[in-house]
Amino acid sequence: MSFPVKDITTKPFEGQKPGTSGLRKRVKVFQQEHYTENFVQSIFDSIDAKGQTLVIGGDGRYFSPEAVQIILKIGSANGVSKFIVGKDGILSTPAASNVIRKYKAYGGILLTASHNPGGPDNDFGIKYNVSNGGPAPENVTDKIFAKTKTISTYKVIEAPAVDLSKIGETTYGPSKVSIIDSVTDYVILLEGIFDFPLIKQFLLEHSQDFKVLFDGLHGVTGPYARAIFIEKFGLSESSIQNCVALPDFGGGHPDPNLTYAHTLVDAVEKNNVAFGAASDGDGDRNMIYGKNAFVTPSDSVAIIAHWADTIPYFKKEGVKGLARSMPTSKAIDLVAKKKKLEYFEVPTGWKFFGNLMDAGRLSICGEESFGTGSDHIREKDGLWAVVAWLNILAAANKNSPNKLIGINDLLQEFYSIYGRSFFSRYDYEEVPSDGANKLVAHINEALTSGSLNNTVHTSASTSTKFTISNLYNFEYKDPIDHSVSKNQGQVITFSDGSRVVFRLSGTGSQGATVRMYVERYLGPEAGKDALSKSASEGLKSLIEVALEVSKLKEFLGRDEPTVIT
Ligand code: VG1
Ligand code: CO
C-alpha cells in the first residue's frame, strides 16, 4: 500500500509561544482547525528528525488520542522513521524522558499540561524534548515559535489511525510505530536506583505503625504507583488511592500541594498515615506529607541531598553537584557547602538543569514548585522523590531499632544541623495582565532608581523591622553553553538574609499569574522552638512587608492569593 504525502495550506495562529514547559492552552484552542497541526509542523521545521526515532507520550488527558494521531501523520510525512509510543499514548513525563534516553531516540513529543486541569473545557499542552530526554532549551523553543509565525503549509500522510492500545510494532506508511508498555521501563529504572529490598522489608516490618498512602489524583502515575507500591513493595490496595488515570483527572486539579491534594491531606489526617505522597497530572511533581508533617519541596530536595549516600545510585555514582531554581529556598546550598559540593542557582523551569547534568556537574536538584529529581533522567520525577524518601526512611530506621523514625524526625534533625529556611509561595492566578504589568513596572522602577535601597519596613502585626539591602532582576548565564536568560524574576533582599521574589508564571493558559516567593532563614542556634514553627508563623511579618513594598493588592485588585504553598 502506498501512503501519499499531502501538503495542507494553513495560516499562522497568534500566541503559539512555548512557556516554562511547552505550549499550554485551552483544549478548545487546540481543537481549532489546523491549530495543533501548525504547532506540530513547526516543531518538525525546527529540528531534523528525518530518518530518526521519536518518542510520543503524555498524561492521557482529554484530546491526547487525537493529538497522537496528528503527530504520527505529520511526523511520518516529515520523514520520522520510527515512533515509540506509550500504550494509549500514555507515558508520564519522567517515563518519557527515560524512554528517550534508553532507546537513544532523537527526541520526544509530550502531550501534557502537567498540573493544569484537563477535560473539554480545560487545558491541553504540547512539549518537545531533545535527545538527552530533557525539555528543549530556549534556542529550540524560540525557533519553534518563530516557525509558527510564518507557517503556510503542513505535511501529512494519508493513512488510517494507528490502534494505540496494542503493544507491538507495526508499519505506518513509510515509518514504523512501536507501541510499548507505559510502565515497565520506568519501574526497571527505579529498581536500579533505589534499595527496593530494604524498603520492602522496612514497610513489611512496620505495616502497623508506618502506614503509607500514595494519591495519584487521577493523573498518569496511577499505574506506575500500582506497579511499585503493590507489586514491588507488597503493600495492600489501601496504600494507593485515586490511581485510575482519567482524561479529566476526575474533575480535579491534579496538583500535589496542600490546597489541591486535599484528598490526600484528609486521608492522612483521618487514618493516621505516617507517610503520604501525591503526584501531579503528568507525574513529574510530588508532595511528601505525613501525619503532622509537611515537607516543603525546598526542604525535600535538601534532605535527599543530605541523605544521598543511603541511595545505591548515589553510592555508586557519587554526588557531583547540587542545584535549585532561583526562587527555591537556599536549604540545599547549605548541604552543598557542608559536603563541599559545587552548587548552582538556575532560572525556573527544568530545562535549565539539563546542561549541567550532561556535563557531569549536577546530580540532585529541585524546584520549590514540588519538583525534585536527579541526573537519572532529564525531567523532574515525582515517584523518584517519593521512593527516595522511603529509601531514606528505611535506611535511617535500620540504625534505629528502638525508635521509629518518621518524616518529622528527619525534618527536625535537618533543621538542627543546618537551620531552617522558612519558605512560602503566594500565587495570584488569572489576574488581569494590565495589573500584573504594573506590579512588574513598579518594582522595576525601584530597581533602577534605587529608591527602596536601605529603606526600613515594619510589619504591622509583629513590629519586626526589615531593611531592604538590594533589588535585582535575576539573570542566568549557563556555565556550559554560555547562553544568557534575562528577566527571570525580581528579587528583593533584606539585611537579615530574607528574600522576596516576584515572577510571572509561564505555564498559565489565560490571563496572568503572579507568584510571590518569600524566604526567611533562621540558623540552628535559634533553637528547637523557633525552628519547628509553622511556615505561616515564621513568615508572617516578612509577607506583610513584601505586600506593602510591592503594593501588590493595589495593582492586582486581590486581597488574598488563589493558592498558598
Ligand atoms: C511552574 C513552576 C516551575 C515548573 C513549571 C513546570 O512554572 O513554577 O517551577 O518548572 O511550572 O512544572 P511557572 O512558569 O508557571 O511558574 V510542570 O509540573 O507544569 O511540568
Ligand atoms: Co508536571
Side-chain angles (χ1 to χ4, degrees), residues 198-199 201-212 272-275 291 307 389-390 392-413:
L198 177 74
I199 299 171
Q201 193 195 342
F202 165 67
L203 295 176
L204 184 72
E205 275 169 22
H206 291 277
S207 60
Q208 296 309 314
D209 58 353
F210 191 85
K211 269 197 226 160
V212 171
N272 266 316
V273 172
F275 185 88
K291 179 90 181 164
W307 285 87
W389 268 85
L390 286 174
I392 291 167
L393 282 161
N397 276 290
K398 209 173 147 189
N399 300 321
S400 172
N402 300 320
K403 182 189 176 294
L404 177 66
I405 296 175
I407 296 175
N408 218 3
D409 301 306
L410 294 193
L411 283 174
Q412 299 312 325
E413 186 216 33

Side-chain angles (χ1 to χ4, degrees), residues 63-78:
F63 194 60
S64 296
E66 293 87 340
V68 173
Q69 301 293 345
I70 290 172
I71 296 166
L72 289 172
K73 278 184 176 193
I74 298 180
S76 181
N78 281 275

Side-chain angles (χ1 to χ4, degrees), residues 112-128:
T112 169
S114 187
H115 53 285
N116 298 19
D121 297 318
N122 285 306
D123 287 1
F124 189 72
I126 304 183
K127 180 165 114 168
Y128 180 65

Side-chain angles (χ1 to χ4, degrees), residues 176-206:
K176 284 198 165 37
V177 176
S178 168
I179 311 276
I180 61 166
D181 181 81
S182 315
V183 177
T184 312
D185 288 314
Y186 181 76
V187 175
I188 294 172
L189 174 74
L190 289 202
E191 268 189 300
I193 294 173
F194 298 109
D195 194 338
F196 271 40
L198 177 74
I199 299 171
K200 187 174 180 177
Q201 193 195 342
F202 165 67
L203 295 176
L204 184 72
E205 275 169 22
H206 291 277

